[in-house]
Amino acid sequence: MEQVNDKNINNHFPQEPGPIGVFDSGYGGLTILHGIRQLLPQYNYIYLGDNARAPYGPRSFDVVYEFTRQAVDRLFSMGCQLVIIGCNTASAKALRSIQQNDLPHWDPKRRVLGVIRPTAEIIGNITRNNHVGLLATEGTVKSQSYDMEIHKLWPDIKVTGQACPFWVALVEYNEADSPGADYFVKKRIDQLLQKDPEIDTIILGCTHFPLLMPKILKYTPPGITIVPQGEYVASSLKDYLKRHTDMEQRLTKGGKVTYYTTENTDKFKKSATIFLHEEIEAHHIEL
């Protein structure tokens, strides 16, 4: 088992209103942040990328939980009242443990939400024949988190997962548009459809994958619906805040975004432009 440092929990978080925190192991959560800001531009946000320890996909459940817990702890310490885990691997391997084990001790009024549940909630309204495919990292596929969340709401849906090694690297090394990406994208889509030829809807279960959308559409047969997550996470959050006015009142407004990374800030800024198509400033942080 991998060794991690167990840091003491900070029980003295700021109580005044604060920004919405968005956490990811790398850069993919920027697509989630972008989707949220498109729909909810009025709030302040803090983005935290644990880029120095990415990728999370191949790591054990225990390590992903500890790393994610450290990040959420830090965002709460920075004043966030609500944190979105904009990472499928962390949502699959750590979210439930944090919600059940840590939040009651940290601050029961604070909330941590993930990206899997919002997608599960709408998928039954998109598929026409209840055959759904999932393209994701190995960690997310093996966790079966999508299968479990979807079956809670839509028990008749058949979920077929396909791990996509190298897809994250293609995006982060700015090779998503390169000819070399075609081989890896086509191979995984073909493998998925070989497992279940009746699939009519495919979930992109990794926040990096929307940047491969041109290639994905190129090798996906006509009639299959591709479901990225950003807009659904955003609409789910909007609905959540509408239903939980107490939380909405604890969020600061102004449209400001602050970016933090555990990696080199210049490297983060360069890669972030691939996802955001705009120049940003970033700050280094230790977890």
Side-chain angles (χ1 to χ4, degrees):
M1 175 179 165
E2 298 170 75
Q3 295 298 312
V4 296
N5 294 322
D6 185 20
K7 296 189 177 182
N8 293 327
I9 293 176
N10 176 7
N11 291 311
H12 304 289
F13 300 127
Q15 294 303 309
E16 61 270 13
I20 296 172
V22 178
F23 164 70
D24 184 25
S25 58
Y27 299 97
L30 293 168
T31 64
I32 298 298
L33 175 62
H34 177 73
I36 293 173
R37 289 183 68 201
Q38 291 290 106
L39 194 61
L40 301 168
Q42 68 270 35
Y43 298 103
N44 293 331
Y45 298 90
I46 292 179
Y47 182 86
L48 171 55
D50 189 13
N51 308 85
R53 300 191 293 194
Y56 280 15
R59 296 186 182 273
S60 69
F61 272 74
D62 289 343
V63 171
V64 172
Y65 163 60
E66 180 60 26
F67 286 179
T68 305
R69 178 173 158 272
Q70 291 171 4
V72 173
D73 177 45
R74 179 58 61 90
L75 285 167
F76 282 166
S77 298
M78 296 165 77
C80 295
Q81 298 285 339
L82 170 67
V83 172
I84 308 296
I85 298 181
C87 171
N88 283 272
T89 300
S91 292
K93 294 184 175 182
L95 176 62
R96 188 175 300 276
S97 295
I98 289 174
Q99 288 174 332
Q100 294 178 351
N101 301 335
D102 297 310
L103 269 182
H105 303 290
W106 280 346
D107 183 348
K109 291 182 180 180
R110 281 177 161 79
R111 291 291 178 267
V112 183
L113 306 175
V115 293
I116 294 176
R117 178 79 181 189
T119 311
E121 288 174 346
I122 53 88
I123 201 66
N125 299 323
I126 298 175
T127 178
R128 301 177 302 279
N129 67 1
N130 287 343
H131 287 258
V132 172
L134 170 69
L135 297 171
T137 65
E138 182 180 4
T140 297
V141 172
K142 281 187 174 180
S143 75
Q144 296 191 315
S145 294
Y146 272 94
D147 310 53
M148 291 185 287
E149 287 297 329
I150 289 172
H151 289 151
K152 287 177 189 175
L153 303 165
W154 314 98
D156 295 331
I157 289 181
K158 177 183 178 182
V159 181
T160 303
Q162 174 61 51
C164 302
F166 307 118
W167 282 28
V168 169
L170 287 171
V171 172
E172 295 203 350
Y173 286 97
N174 206 14
E175 295 290 332
D177 296 325
S178 70
D182 288 65
Y183 170 80
F184 294 104
V185 172
K186 182 179 187 301
K187 179 177 182 179
R188 300 310 174 190
I189 291 173
D190 288 349
Q191 287 177 333
L192 176 66
L193 296 177
Q194 285 169 8
K195 292 178 181 178
D196 182 2
E198 295 185 60
I199 286 171
D200 78 342
T201 304
I202 295 177
I203 297 169
L204 301 186
C206 175
T207 51
H208 285 70
F209 292 0
L211 277 79
L212 289 162
M213 187 66 84
K215 305 282 191 192
I216 293 170
L217 292 173
K218 180 179 178 180
Y219 295 109
T220 300
I224 295 179
T225 303
I226 306 297
V227 180
Q229 296 175 297
E231 62 183 283
Y232 300 110
V233 173
S235 59
S236 178
L237 177 59
K238 182 179 180 179
D239 179 66
Y240 179 88
L241 294 176
K242 187 176 180 180
R243 290 183 290 109
H244 297 83
T245 55
D246 56 330
M247 174 57 73
E248 199 281 333
Q249 292 168 5
R250 298 208 300 276
L251 302 176
T252 54
K253 298 178 176 67
K256 180 184 177 183
V257 187
T258 309
Y259 298 90
Y260 291 91
T261 176
T262 57
E263 246 288 9
N264 175 274
T265 55
D266 289 336
K267 183 177 186 298
F268 179 84
K269 287 190 287 186
K270 183 178 179 180
S271 296
T273 58
I274 299 171
F275 292 82
L276 298 174
H277 306 292
E278 63 175 296
E279 295 289 332
I280 65 161
E281 288 300 319
H283 309 276
H284 180 75
I285 195 170
E286 297 283 346
L287 293 179

